Amino acid sequence: MASSANQIILCKAAVSWEAGKPLVIEEVEVAPPQAMEVRIKILYTAICHSDIYFWEAKGQSPLFPRIFGHEAGGIVESVGEGVTELKPGDHVLPIFTGECKDCAHCKSEQSNMCELLRVNPDRGVMIEDGKSRFSIKGKPIYHFVGTSTFSEYTVVHSGCVAKINPSAPLDTVFLLSCGFCTGTEIIRTCKPVCICNELKLDFWFLFQGFGAAVNVAKPPKGSTVAVFGLGAVGLAAAEGAKFSGASRIIGVDVNPNRLEQAKKFGVTEFVNPKDHNKPVQEVLVEMTNGGVDTSIECTGNIQAMISAFESVHDGWGVAVLVGFPGKDDVFKTHPLNFLTERTLKGTFYGNFKPRTDIPLLVEKYMNKEIELEKFITHSVPFSEINTAFDLMLKGEGIRCLIRMEE
């Protein structure tokens, strides 16, 4: 790798030329990293519903041509000026959000929303100089959330790179770069109820789900939790709930085929909203004698968000929103739901600080405290990346591992 430092690298990348069209494997030029940037050789990546969401141009401002991808693992190839904590050969996970360690958010124990490196789906260039590091015959190709991992090599701001134990298997721990952390915040001490939606999951897949339970909801042991969405994020939330000692985990999903798989993650009951002629929140309230103690919404569907909030028990119920909503969505509920002491919270990336916390989660995996393998249900070579897109669109499996080296 040392021989390629400071030089343009030619490699393969899956380029999205227009919304909703199959990706095209192209030879792209990847420029050297500039100040505070790192160039990474990507070894494994996966497709998250957020990639699908922006590929379909449903969110924010459409930006094409673009290289998607944000859940991955790789090895540092070279570093730019000013990078001191990373070096060529380091095993790393690129993260769609960052940790500069200098801003008020990074210095706060209460926040992980870095002012400098907060996720921005509309930005298709690097923050250092406002330019792309990808090009094809001189034509710029836009970045996606600062990671663009559907490329054999990518350039990422060093504040968005987590250095991990080189002994950890990158083909498994790459999941920690997005999905697993998000869903876990509710998992610590709750009793989950899961509701799934066929539309979309959010950026934070597993991480967001697990983090939502453990870091945000913090429900007491033995409580009841409702998890809305049994995709990867929702399953991570259920896993977190089980890890926390939840005594009842109810999965709610419009796809009945997800039940058997969800049981492996701790889901004890299943509700399909399509099987009832009343709002699903009313079904959950009846099932739980007044409402669940905690609910976790992992779909991004605005109605699921409202249902998650209205399904928690008055007096102490807590609902945590994880999913990424549409840009025009509006959350509507009666103010009395707040006045009767229900609490609504949001979470970003499971409240994990990426550079600080992800290496610690990798160690928990290495110590067998958390399990990741069961989230990977398919595997394809990079040349078949569109197959992985099809699997996600059909709702088949949880995560499809994409192997960059065939």
Side-chain angles (χ1 to χ4, degrees):
M1 292 185 182
S3 62
S4 59
N6 300 316
Q7 298 181 25
I8 292 175
I9 289 179
L10 294 178
C11 70
K12 293 179 180 179
V15 178
S16 178
W17 289 99
E18 56 182 304
K21 300 295 184 181
L23 306 187
V24 180
I25 303 296
E26 305 275 15
E27 183 177 72
V28 300
E29 303 156 356
V30 184
Q34 300 303 304
M36 300 308 297
E37 295 175 356
V38 178
R39 189 160 58 184
I40 302 170
K41 180 183 172 99
I42 299 296
L43 298 181
Y44 304 98
T45 189
I47 294 170
C48 179
H49 264 284
S50 297
D51 298 304
I52 298 288
Y53 186 54
F54 288 93
W55 167 71
E56 292 178 330
K58 290 182 178 179
Q60 315 306 317
S61 303
L63 195 60
F64 297 93
R66 201 170 203 181
I67 297 174
F68 288 101
H70 62 279
E71 188 173 87
I75 299 175
V76 173
E77 175 271 336
S78 60
V79 303
E81 180 183 353
V83 177
T84 58
E85 296 185 11
L86 297 164
K87 64 182 186 303
D90 284 344
H91 286 215
V92 296
L93 304 182
I95 313 297
F96 61 86
T97 186
E99 181 184 358
C100 72
K101 296 191 176 183
D102 292 325
C103 71
H105 284 273
C106 287
K107 291 179 178 179
S108 169
E109 295 183 359
Q110 307 301 316
S111 175
N112 66 341
M113 301 186 68
C114 178
E115 293 177 15
L116 177 66
L117 302 171
R118 188 177 305 183
V119 62
N120 182 353
D122 284 340
R123 186 175 61 231
V125 294
M126 301 300 290
I127 63 174
E128 174 66 20
D129 57 5
K131 297 180 180 179
S132 174
R133 302 290 176 258
F134 299 110
S135 62
I136 296 179
K137 297 179 181 179
K139 177 181 175 62
I141 307 297
Y142 292 113
H143 294 250
F144 177 63
V145 294
T147 52
S148 293
T149 61
F150 294 166
S151 174
E152 292 177 320
Y153 286 87
T154 189
V155 177
V156 181
H157 192 285
S158 61
C160 296
V161 178
K163 179 180 176 180
I164 65 170
N165 185 337
S167 299
L170 281 171
D171 61 350
T172 304
V173 298
F174 82 94
L175 290 170
L176 295 174
S177 68
C178 179
F180 185 81
C181 300
T182 305
T184 320
E185 284 181 285
I186 267 186
I187 286 177
R188 239 176 227 164
T189 51
C190 49
K191 189 180 188 181
V193 178
C194 302
I195 228 183
C196 191
N197 178 285
E198 61 190 350
L199 297 178
K200 58 181 179 291
L201 293 176
D202 60 322
F203 269 117
W204 343 124
F205 169 43
L206 300 172
F207 225 0
Q208 184 86 322
F210 191 81
V214 173
N215 299 335
V216 178
K218 302 179 181 179
K221 186 175 181 179
S223 60
T224 303
V225 178
V227 180
F228 285 68
L230 293 179
V233 177
L235 292 177
E239 180 83 359
K242 181 179 71 171
F243 177 82
S244 303
S247 58
R248 189 178 179 187
I249 301 178
I250 306 171
V252 188
D253 199 311
V254 295
N255 184 350
N257 297 327
R258 298 202 177 195
L259 173 58
E260 290 306 313
Q261 189 175 64
K263 289 179 180 178
K264 300 176 184 178
F265 296 83
V267 172
T268 59
E269 301 169 63
F270 182 79
V271 173
N272 185 340
K274 293 183 177 181
D275 293 339
H276 302 273
N277 58 7
K278 63 178 69 174
V280 71
Q281 55 266 45
E282 294 183 14
V283 175
L284 294 175
V285 167
E286 292 176 2
M287 289 176 60
T288 56
N289 192 28
V292 298
D293 300 303
T294 305
S295 68
I296 311 168
E297 184 285 319
C298 303
T299 71
N301 178 276
I302 190 63
Q303 187 54 55
M305 293 180 176
I306 295 169
S307 296
F309 177 56
E310 294 182 354
S311 69
V312 300
H313 205 291
D314 58 4
W316 61 78
V318 176
V320 178
L321 304 185
V322 174
F324 195 79
K327 61 180 179 180
D328 296 323
D329 285 340
V330 178
F331 188 98
K332 294 182 179 180
T333 191
H334 197 282
L336 188 61
N337 288 319
F338 291 99
L339 296 175
T340 50
E341 301 187 3
R342 294 176 178 88
T343 299
L344 179 65
K345 293 184 176 182
T347 179
F348 177 74
Y349 196 51
N351 207 31
F352 288 105
K353 292 180 182 288
R355 294 167 65 192
T356 299
D357 294 332
I358 290 179
L360 299 178
L361 286 171
V362 169
E363 294 306 313
K364 286 185 178 295
Y365 166 78
M366 297 293 284
N367 293 332
K368 303 186 183 304
E369 295 178 52
I370 59 176
E371 185 179 351
L372 297 175
E373 286 85 356
K374 61 187 175 183
F375 287 97
I376 302 173
T377 54
H378 297 80
S379 177
V380 298
F382 185 41
S383 60
E384 298 178 20
I385 189 171
N386 286 306
T387 298
F389 263 72
D390 290 340
L391 289 168
M392 178 67 74
L393 289 167
K394 293 176 182 177
E396 297 181 8
I398 305 175
R399 268 299 183 271
C400 180
L401 173 68
I402 298 172
R403 310 181 305 274
M404 304 303 286
E405 295 181 343
E406 303 181 21

